[in-house]
Amino acid sequence: AEVDGPLSEEARENLEIVRKSGDHLRALIDDILDLSGLESGEFQLSRGNVDLYGVAAQVAREARATLGGKRIELQLLGSTSVVWADERRVRQIIGNLVGNAVKFTREGFVEVSVASHGSTSHVAVKDTGPGIAAEMQSAIFEEFQQAGDLHARRAGSGLGLAITRRLVAMHGGQIELESRLGEGSRFTVTLPASADVAPRSAPLNEVPERTPRQAI
Ligand code: ADP
């Protein structure tokens, strides 16, 4: 609220800088807290049947709203695909991949596609961005590792993919990257389609599903 009259142009610009660095710090703190929770083993998944396509559609809608003037077309392909997963975490996984695609792509398209293959479903995020050099492709999944030019590095914390990789692994899923420098990237996440096929490998991290209460 500008109670004592409107701010000068300079004051407004300074305020905007402060606000942006505040946002950046908060995102960094959130990421660090997330990662430490994932590492301590305290973190638990709360699984249920989740429509991967529905979550992807929601993420795509939100990402479209953040495009601003960027000449990127955001496409969504696929149809209902149910996975056995923690919906909030699935949103975080897809949100991170779409967020990166939008952040690093100057122009062209970002395509989010969802499909089922027998006992698994996958979501792929493909972009026409700068691509990732072969020698960096495993490093970027580690904490604080960033590729690309300095400008791109400043734009994030370097924690997003490390968190994403851990979340996918906890679901018994996989994440794959196909990319070439100068030719865009495609990240593909595969998740188990139902409880019957979900591996029992991480029992400590799973919350038993609540049995729905009988209607009276
Ligand atoms: P951040 O985006 O905060 O830097 P991430 O862990 O999400 O951290 O990503 C790590 C690095 O991987 C990025 O800094 C960038 O160099 C590279 N990267 C991730 N996604 C893409 C993409 N879609 N296109 C090009 N480079 C990417």
Side-chain angles (χ1 to χ4, degrees), residues 12 42 61 68 136 151 210 213:
R12 196 186 295 276
E42 270 167 40
R61 248 198 318 276
M136 286 303 293
H151 175 74
R210 261 174 283 148
R213 232 177 259 167

Side-chain angles (χ1 to χ4, degrees), residues 125-145:
V125 180
K126 186 174 151 194
D127 67 50
T128 55
I132 298 155
E135 65 272 20
M136 286 303 293
Q137 288 184 12
S138 49
I140 59 166
F141 290 98
E142 305 295 331
E143 292 78 21
F144 300 112
Q145 291 290 323

Side-chain angles (χ1 to χ4, degrees), residues 31 96-97 100-101 103-105 127 129-132 140 142 145-148 152-153 155-162 185 187:
D31 280 353
N96 177 253
L97 298 179
N100 277 345
K103 181 164 73 177
F104 294 111
T105 303
D127 67 50
I132 298 155
I140 59 166
E142 305 295 331
Q145 291 290 323
Q146 298 179 307
R153 287 176 204 218
S157 65
L159 288 175
L161 285 177
S185 310
F187 289 86

Side-chain angles (χ1 to χ4, degrees), residues 82-152:
V82 176
V83 287
W84 178 244
D86 184 326
E87 179 165 351
R88 183 170 151 234
R89 299 303 172 175
V90 169
R91 183 169 304 122
Q92 190 177 358
I93 291 165
I94 304 176
N96 177 253
L97 298 179
V98 172
N100 277 345
V102 165
K103 181 164 73 177
F104 294 111
T105 303
R106 275 176 199 281
E107 59 179 332
F109 68 84
V110 170
E111 183 192 275
V112 184
S113 56
V114 176
S116 300
H117 285 293
S119 61
T120 60
S121 290
H122 67 244
V123 55
V125 180
K126 186 174 151 194
D127 67 50
T128 55
I132 298 155
E135 65 272 20
M136 286 303 293
Q137 288 184 12
S138 49
I140 59 166
F141 290 98
E142 305 295 331
E143 292 78 21
F144 300 112
Q145 291 290 323
Q146 298 179 307
D149 60 31
L150 272 178
H151 175 74

Side-chain angles (χ1 to χ4, degrees), residues 157-197:
S157 65
L159 288 175
L161 285 177
I163 293 169
T164 298
R165 179 176 60 106
R166 281 181 159 77
L167 289 174
V168 170
M170 282 180 75
H171 279 89
Q174 275 174 302
I175 183 162
E176 280 167 283
L177 166 61
E178 264 180 87
S179 181
R180 271 204 216 175
L181 211 51
E183 290 178 27
S185 310
R186 176 163 64 196
F187 289 86
T188 307
V189 169
T190 306
L191 294 170
S194 79
D196 306 333
V197 295

